[in-house]
Amino acid sequence: MFEGLRQRLSCRTGPLRVGRPLRDLFTPLGAAPVGRFRRFAGAGLVCLLAVVMLGATPDSRFQKMGHEMICTCGCGQVLLECNHVGCPVSPVMISELHSGIDGGGTDTSIFNWFETKYGATVLAAPIRGGFDNVAWIAPMAVFLLATIGTGFLVKMWSARSAQRRAVSAAGTVMGGDAVRERIRRETEY
């Protein structure tokens, strides 16, 4: 099994071909490389589908959606984790969420229904779309503009400082007595 690989890697048999080194190294001498690729691609596709389908149960959807909403009783906790004793709101909202999921509604339609009934504060994060995009974009845009503005301000200050240094270096340097004499002459009546 490793004899062919050893011969290909051996310096005595000649240099490796540069065109397709990986396929030549790991393909057995008699196997067709295209068939092996198709097998690996098929196995990869099966693994990908298995991973995608892992959490596709209605209970996991309920858990996901319940953790994306806030209880409106005033406690400010996630809907499924509202632990305040005798909460009059969370059992009603949880049953409405169950009925929405059992009714076959999409996540967006259920969130929109809750938003119209309880207000925008029921959503832990705004739904992306329409005017709600501002809630996602505005903080990043403000940060970016503030960073650019700060860099521009620092650049202006450093240019102004360099200009002052150049002006002060160009002026003549006079001794203390000469400066006093010049000030006295210029301030006489």
Side-chain angles (χ1 to χ4, degrees):
M1 175 175 158
F2 293 109
E3 187 63 32
L5 180 63
R6 192 181 65 155
Q7 286 177 355
R8 290 179 195 161
L9 292 176
S10 173
C11 293
R12 286 183 244 158
T13 60
L16 289 174
R17 288 189 309 203
V18 178
R20 299 178 297 186
L22 287 177
R23 187 168 32 168
D24 288 346
L25 286 177
F26 297 107
T27 304
L29 292 176
V34 175
R36 181 174 237 184
F37 175 75
R38 286 184 182 158
R39 282 185 293 190
F40 279 125
L45 184 63
V46 168
C47 290
L48 180 68
L49 287 174
V51 169
V52 169
M53 298 269 195
L54 278 177
T57 63
D59 188 46
S60 65
R61 183 175 173 214
F62 170 76
Q63 290 292 325
K64 178 184 166 287
M65 291 181 71
H67 282 92
E68 291 178 2
M69 289 191 279
I70 302 292
C71 182
T72 58
C73 69
C75 65
Q77 295 181 6
V78 175
L79 176 62
L80 296 182
E81 295 177 7
C82 178
N83 61 359
H84 114 238
V85 178
C87 179
V89 179
S90 64
V92 174
M93 289 177 71
I94 289 172
S95 67
E96 290 171 347
L97 179 60
H98 270 298
S99 65
I101 291 173
D102 294 340
T106 63
D107 292 356
T108 308
S109 66
I110 293 172
F111 284 140
N112 287 336
W113 184 83
F114 271 94
E115 186 177 4
T116 39
K117 182 171 182 182
Y118 294 105
T121 58
V122 75
L123 301 176
I127 298 174
R128 292 190 180 201
F131 185 71
D132 288 334
N133 283 337
V134 174
W136 292 99
I137 295 171
M140 292 180 277
V142 167
F143 177 74
L144 182 66
L145 289 175
T147 303
I148 291 171
T150 303
F152 181 72
L153 187 65
V154 167
K155 187 174 181 177
M156 279 183 25
W157 284 346
S158 64
R160 189 180 298 165
S161 175
Q163 186 180 28
R164 285 183 185 161
R165 274 187 254 131
V167 168
S168 67
T172 60
V173 179
M174 294 193 275
D177 291 332
V179 172
R180 282 192 193 106
E181 181 62 29
R182 182 176 166 201
I183 292 173
R184 187 187 59 75
R185 273 186 281 130
E186 289 179 0
T187 56
E188 274 184 357
Y189 287 83

